[in-house]
Amino acid sequence: MPHLDQPLADLPADVTTVAMVTLGCARNEVDSEELAGRLAADGYRLVADAADADAVLVNTCGFIETAKKDSVDAILEAGDGGAKVIAVGCMAERYGSELAGALPEATVLGFDDYADIGDRLDDVLAGRPLVPHTPRDRRTLLPISPADRTRAAVAPSSPAIPGHDWLKRTRLTTGPVASLKLASGCDRRCAFCAIPAFRGAFVSRPVDEVLGEAHWLAGQGVTEIVLVSENSTSYGKDLGDLRTLEKLLPQLAAIEGLARIRVAYLQPAELRPGLLETIAATPGVAPYFDLSFQHSSPTLLRRMRRFGGTEDFLALVERARALAPEAGFRTNVILGFPGETEDDVAELERFLTAARLDAVGVFGYSDEEGTEAARLEGHLPQHEVDDRVARITDLVEELTAQRAEERVGSTVRVLLTDDLGGGTWTGHAEHQDPDADGTTTVSAVPEGAVPGQVVPALVTGTEGIDLVASCRVPVGAGADPA
């Protein structure tokens, strides 16, 4: 398998080098590692710097307008050094031939090219013309990878290793945290979201495949796995058992070497009591709830084609806290959806104030082509959307800082990531997503600590949503492996 830190001088002259540039969410990061694994299996060598590469794969994001702009900028930048540029990912799938026409600098490939990415790259480097795909609504097609039912199941006790036909993944980072994809696609029909149209219908990965990849990640030095998908609460519904995730989590937590399992992307309307209890109370599973509320006004949520409201959501949060008082909660909210009133915004403010969430992402509504929301009446002027985003952002910053202060005096279990020297490390507690929910800086960490180790620490202060803590009991390396 390739090593991203292998000096270029050590590579044979005839080896073709490839760099991956990834934009967007954790799901895209996993896709990039799977693409990298397939390329490695076909003899390509991966390099970290696009300037050193013969070819650059840009894994694009097509979620919102700013993400699309970032993707276009990355494609243009990737070609500055003379490398061949290949655009893949959500934006490439969503726009296909249109994107190819706008950016002749790049070859645009769709999801159907992923399984044969090495062959497609051969074509690009050899100058063989490729016809960019015409975008289709993937909900009308057979599901794409990752759930290929023809693949042989792997026994849960068998560690997965590179070279197995079903697992071609190369880690592009070296930290102790990694994402693992549960499923692909989404069956929900939220009025503002275009993702189902280009990601397709919801398809769960087989349980044994998920367990096998988790074993492999543990063997790569990963101690925290974040389970990702478009909607993790749907996992297993197409496998014939809605309780599949509840059964899977304890099995993942029992894998030797893993300290923590975290579930991301939960849909509130599908969070069954059994799953809530499993996340809140299973040793080795972080009591962490990444809940996609989007708003809390019942009236506006119905316009969004979503369920629930302030009282339902508060009850859900309180049920989780009754089981795990120190549980973490994050969500995203959209301001300025067509038809949103001042009363709707006030209702959202009421919910956020009462819920005491740990992290909240605030987004302004923007039209997405092909969605129901783009055709709705009641669009707000942009300055009004911006004003509401600023208003809720200010409130969220105050509320989440207060929530962090409530944790002063409590003991948190911090997974160490970066050694700052002198016994001080940064890391994240169970209530903190590794990428989005703040960090914990821990002092008095005993000698011998290593990245990925979990230590108990007393919270002594805060900096916004970040925590400052100190190890309260001696913990030698490996003394607290869970």
Side-chain angles (χ1 to χ4, degrees):
M1 299 300 288
H3 300 281
L4 295 186
D5 57 353
Q6 184 174 6
L8 286 175
D10 295 345
L11 296 178
D14 59 346
V15 169
T16 303
T17 54
V18 183
M20 296 291 309
V21 177
T22 307
L23 296 99
C25 64
R27 301 184 295 275
N28 254 19
E29 293 171 4
V30 176
D31 286 349
S32 286
E33 293 195 344
E34 291 176 352
L35 288 168
R38 291 182 179 278
L39 290 170
D42 286 339
Y44 288 96
R45 289 299 181 99
L46 302 174
V47 294
D49 192 341
D52 298 326
D54 299 308
V56 181
L57 264 69
V58 181
N59 193 350
T60 61
C61 178
F63 181 46
I64 56 177
E65 202 61 39
T66 54
K68 296 174 195 173
K69 182 181 184 303
D70 290 342
S71 293
V72 170
D73 290 344
I75 292 169
L76 294 173
E77 183 179 349
D80 288 345
K84 297 288 187 179
V85 181
I86 298 92
V88 296
C90 291
M91 188 175 181
E93 171 64 35
R94 185 176 181 185
Y95 295 104
S97 53
E98 180 183 348
L99 182 64
L103 295 173
E105 301 90 342
T107 298
V108 178
L109 301 179
F111 292 149
D112 290 330
D113 293 304
Y114 281 21
D116 301 309
I117 190 65
D119 291 340
R120 297 292 78 74
L121 186 51
D122 287 347
D123 291 335
V124 172
L125 293 171
R128 292 187 286 269
L130 294 173
V131 178
H133 67 281
T134 300
R136 299 163 292 174
D137 186 337
R138 295 207 71 99
R139 291 170 296 189
T140 66
L141 306 175
L142 290 175
I144 59 171
S145 174
D148 182 347
R149 305 300 190 215
T150 66
R151 283 180 287 193
V154 175
S157 60
S158 301
I161 59 173
H164 283 199
D165 181 63
W166 60 268
L167 176 60
K168 291 186 173 73
R169 177 174 178 179
T170 294
R171 292 204 69 205
L172 299 176
T173 59
T174 58
V177 180
S179 296
L180 193 164
K181 191 184 291 186
L182 282 174
S184 183
C186 184
D187 288 338
R188 303 192 70 84
R189 295 294 181 266
C190 301
F192 53 81
C193 185
I195 289 176
F198 58 84
R199 274 288 182 182
F202 185 90
V203 184
S204 301
R205 296 180 71 186
V207 169
D208 287 346
E209 183 174 308
V210 173
L211 287 169
E213 188 165 341
H215 275 285
W216 178 76
L217 287 170
Q220 298 288 303
V222 171
T223 59
E224 176 170 338
I225 284 178
V226 183
L227 301 176
V228 299
S229 70
E230 273 73 29
N231 176 9
S232 296
T233 34
S234 282
Y235 181 69
K237 70 177 186 180
D238 54 332
L239 301 178
D241 186 357
L242 279 172
R243 299 183 62 243
T244 303
L245 185 54
E246 298 163 41
K247 298 173 183 177
L248 173 64
L249 288 173
Q251 296 179 72
L252 289 170
I255 293 175
E256 184 177 357
L258 294 182
R260 183 182 293 164
I261 306 297
R262 185 183 302 274
V263 186
Y265 306 105
L266 299 169
Q267 168 60 239
E270 297 180 22
L271 186 54
R272 301 168 301 282
L275 179 56
L276 186 151
E277 292 168 7
T278 300
I279 294 173
T282 302
V285 176
Y288 172 82
F289 295 89
D290 175 12
L291 294 160
S292 175
F293 290 129
Q294 303 298 354
H295 212 282
S296 75
S297 164
T299 303
L300 192 68
L301 284 168
R302 301 307 171 270
R303 284 177 65 84
M304 290 180 168
R305 301 298 183 197
R306 294 177 66 86
F307 301 94
T310 296
E311 300 307 324
D312 303 295
F313 297 161
L314 289 177
L316 176 59
V317 170
E318 289 311 307
R319 285 200 300 274
R321 283 200 172 116
L323 294 166
E326 299 302 318
F329 297 87
R330 87 164 332 272
T331 196
N332 294 318
V333 295
I334 298 172
L335 276 300
F337 187 83
E340 183 185 61
T341 66
E342 276 295 329
D343 287 344
D344 294 326
V345 180
E347 184 68 5
L348 178 60
E349 289 173 323
R350 183 172 78 87
F351 165 69
L352 293 171
T353 301
R356 297 166 38 242
L357 306 177
D358 294 278
V360 181
V362 183
F363 298 89
Y365 170 81
S366 61
D367 281 338
E368 286 294 316
E369 304 99 310
T371 62
E372 179 185 354
R375 303 188 298 271
L376 290 176
E377 297 180 355
H379 277 61
L380 301 178
Q382 189 60 48
H383 71 83
E384 183 65 27
V385 176
D386 295 341
D387 287 348
R388 293 181 179 184
V389 168
R391 169 177 156 188
I392 297 301
T393 297
D394 289 345
L395 175 64
V396 160
E397 289 178 353
E398 178 182 353
L399 293 173
T400 53
Q402 290 174 1
R403 177 59 185 145
E405 290 172 2
E406 292 175 4
R407 296 186 183 275
V408 173
S410 68
T411 298
V412 294
R413 301 176 72 251
V414 182
L415 190 140
L416 304 176
T417 53
D418 297 294
D419 185 358
L420 303 181
T424 300
W425 286 70
T426 57
H428 54 279
E430 290 180 309
H431 71 279
Q432 295 172 318
D433 178 86
D435 293 327
D437 300 346
T439 61
T440 300
T441 300
V442 189
S443 61
V445 176
E447 291 186 17
V450 295
Q453 181 179 334
V454 175
V455 299
L458 179 68
V459 181
T460 59
T462 65
E463 297 177 359
I465 63 172
D466 298 329
L467 302 184
V468 178
S470 175
C471 284
R472 61 182 308 190
V473 294
V475 180
D480 183 21

